[in-house]
Amino acid sequence: QQQVKQSPQSLIVQKGGISIINCAYENTAFDYFPWYQQFPGKGPALLIAIRPDVSEKKEGRFTISFNKSAKQFSLHIMDSQPGDSATYFCAASKRQGAQKLVFGQGTRLTINP
Amino acid sequence: GAGVSQSPSNKVTEKGKDVELRCDPISGHTALYWYRQSLGQGLEFLIYFQGNSAPDKSGLPSDRFSAERTGGSVSTLTIQRTQQEDSAVYLCASSLAGVSEQYFGPGTRLTVT
């Protein structure tokens, strides 16, 4: 019940296209859902996050869509650029107690120029 | 301001040796987390410190792993009698108390030969 399942494992998108990565969770106690971006040899960097009280959050070219009833959330990258090529991780945590993040397995995104 | 720093950036050790990994959290962040990222895998929670509370050690994989946090700031993760399966990137993250956003350091890549 602690799992977060992420798909696809890898994704290739043409420059200017829309990249979509999906995650699903089981534990209804989760109430914080961040996305992290990781470049090779670097630590994960917080990209954008959402709480279940909203269905969508947008920051620049990055949008999180959240479906509470389906227990799913997704990351959309609009106008994808070669610089977006990285590994993306979704995660989830509870508000109470140790807010340890449970991560998805990651998606390796490649944007072709 | 300065982000989370970790040292060393790389560590190669022989099987059976003990290693110590260090984390300096962002100044003012009272919550500190350790995660492990194995090759091609997602991030796995290890241990959590919050202020003077007892740490949440629920993610430590064996009793060979331990961690301490001195003075509410710097943390050291110790792995005793290292095994080849301990080879991974060890990541530290910190956050403000009661705030979900966690900020990661660059990690320590541990290789056990």
Side-chain angles (χ1 to χ4, degrees), chain B residues 45-112:
Chain B
F45 167 78
L46 296 177
I47 189 169
Y48 160 72
F49 295 91
Q50 171 54 53
N52 295 322
S53 301
D56 179 341
K57 304 178 182 180
S58 60
L60 294 179
S62 78
D63 59 7
R64 295 186 296 104
F65 288 72
S66 63
E68 63 177 18
R69 189 176 186 190
T70 55
S73 181
V74 172
S75 177
T76 302
L77 177 69
T78 301
I79 309 174
Q80 295 179 310
R81 306 181 302 281
T82 52
Q83 303 295 312
Q84 288 188 327
E85 60 263 29
D86 299 334
S87 296
V89 176
Y90 289 82
L91 291 155
C92 176
S94 71
S95 71
L96 292 168
V99 174
S100 299
E101 288 77 12
Q102 295 180 28
Y103 297 91
F104 282 81
T108 293
R109 181 175 296 277
L110 175 66
T111 303
V112 182

Side-chain angles (χ1 to χ4, degrees), chain A residues 31-32 36 38 41-46 49 51 89 93-95 97-106, chain B residues 33 35 37 40-45 48 56 58 91 95-96 98-107 109:
Chain A
D31 69 347
Y32 173 71
Y36 282 84
Q38 186 176 32
K42 305 292 185 182
L46 180 61
R51 292 202 182 274
F89 292 95
S93 72
K94 304 175 189 178
R95 185 190 298 268
Q99 295 170 340
K100 50 194 172 186
L101 291 167
V102 178
F103 283 86
Q105 291 299 97
Chain B
Y33 303 78
Y35 295 86
Q37 184 173 26
Q41 300 295 311
L43 286 80
E44 170 192 19
F45 167 78
Y48 160 72
D56 179 341
S58 60
L91 291 155
S95 71
L96 292 168
V99 174
S100 299
E101 288 77 12
Q102 295 180 28
Y103 297 91
F104 282 81
R109 181 175 296 277

